[in-house]
Amino acid sequence: QWKFFDKKANENKKRYHQLQMIIGVGSGAVPVLVGINSADPVWQQVLYWVTVTISLAVAISAAVENIYKYGDNWRSYRQAAEELQQEKFLYDVKAGRYAGNAAGFARFAERTEEIIAKQNGQFMQTVERQQSQAAEQNAELLSKYQTEGQNRLTDFSSGGTYSSSGGVFVSGGSVMPGGAAPDVPGMTPTLPVSAPAPVLDTSSAG
């Protein structure tokens, strides 16, 4: 059991440090790159794409750490590994709770299971917290997109005019091409006006 928790602790520690390195170095490099001015258009393009790439790497690394919680998992696994190692040491030297205890092995097995159960409980708490945060973020995004969609629909359906001659619908300052007037409440169809027929002057005709 100790080997398992020690291995998981080292794996999560390594990933956590890698992500934090990307976040830290990238966060410091982006402002420097943004402040560099170059008259060469080629270098401008290079600086632009390098800045975008680093910014994207920082954002992805932060998102991955927020989802998988490598830092929390590292501390949890390491704590369990150290507690198991300490418990084994006490059992081997027959010290502490194992001193003069005839049922020392049974007590050692109980303590080992208690440590593992506590670590599993912490892991489940981390998972539940991750799920709760993900649900809140999804709810915020859904509410945001619903609000934006409703605003666009309101803008489209109120105060708009449609010109059938040009096939253009005008609403809220925006012009959208179209072939036929959409059936939207509040929209005013504007039909093309035919030019008046020419009037011939026959007063001077002989």
Side-chain angles (χ1 to χ4, degrees):
Q1 292 293 340
W2 176 85
K3 291 182 179 179
F4 170 79
F5 286 111
D6 183 68
K7 178 181 178 182
K8 298 296 290 185
N10 291 332
E11 290 177 354
N12 282 271
K13 176 183 178 181
K14 180 179 179 180
R15 293 173 183 174
Y16 175 73
H17 284 168
Q18 288 174 344
L19 294 175
Q20 291 301 312
M21 182 67 68
I22 295 174
I23 294 173
V25 174
S27 299
V30 168
V32 176
L33 294 173
V34 171
I36 297 177
N37 294 322
S38 176
D40 189 351
V42 176
W43 274 108
Q44 289 180 357
Q45 288 293 321
V46 172
L47 289 173
Y48 170 77
W49 286 111
V50 169
T51 304
V52 170
T53 302
I54 295 177
S55 301
L56 185 61
V58 170
I60 293 176
S61 298
V64 170
E65 168 58 25
N66 186 51
I67 293 173
Y68 293 102
K69 303 292 184 183
Y70 290 118
D72 293 343
N73 292 338
W74 164 38
R75 288 183 286 270
S76 177
Y77 284 124
R78 177 52 58 195
Q79 180 181 359
E82 294 302 321
E83 289 182 1
L84 287 173
Q85 189 175 26
Q86 181 184 15
E87 204 66 31
K88 184 179 183 301
F89 174 78
L90 293 175
Y91 174 76
D92 289 340
V93 299
K94 305 301 180 185
R97 64 179 63 88
Y98 302 107
N101 191 345
F105 181 77
R107 181 57 178 157
F108 174 72
E110 291 177 358
R111 281 290 301 158
T112 301
E113 291 301 321
E114 289 175 2
I115 295 172
I116 295 174
K118 184 175 69 173
Q119 197 281 332
N120 291 337
Q122 294 175 350
F123 178 77
M124 291 306 300
Q125 290 178 357
T126 302
V127 172
E128 291 175 358
R129 186 168 62 251
Q130 293 173 359
Q131 292 176 346
S132 177
Q133 292 176 352
E136 292 178 359
Q137 293 175 357
N138 292 338
E140 290 177 0
L141 290 175
L142 181 60
S143 176
K144 176 183 177 181
Y145 287 126
Q146 286 178 342
T147 302
E148 291 180 355
Q150 185 65 31
N151 292 338
R152 292 180 181 179
L153 180 61
T154 301
D155 181 64
F156 180 79
S157 61
S158 60
T161 59
Y162 181 83
S163 173
S164 61
S165 58
V168 175
F169 176 76
V170 182
S171 175
S174 60
V175 180
M176 295 172 289
D183 186 11
V184 179
M187 185 186 67
T188 304
T190 303
L191 299 179
V193 179
S194 302
V199 180
L200 299 179
D201 186 6
T202 59
S203 59
S204 60

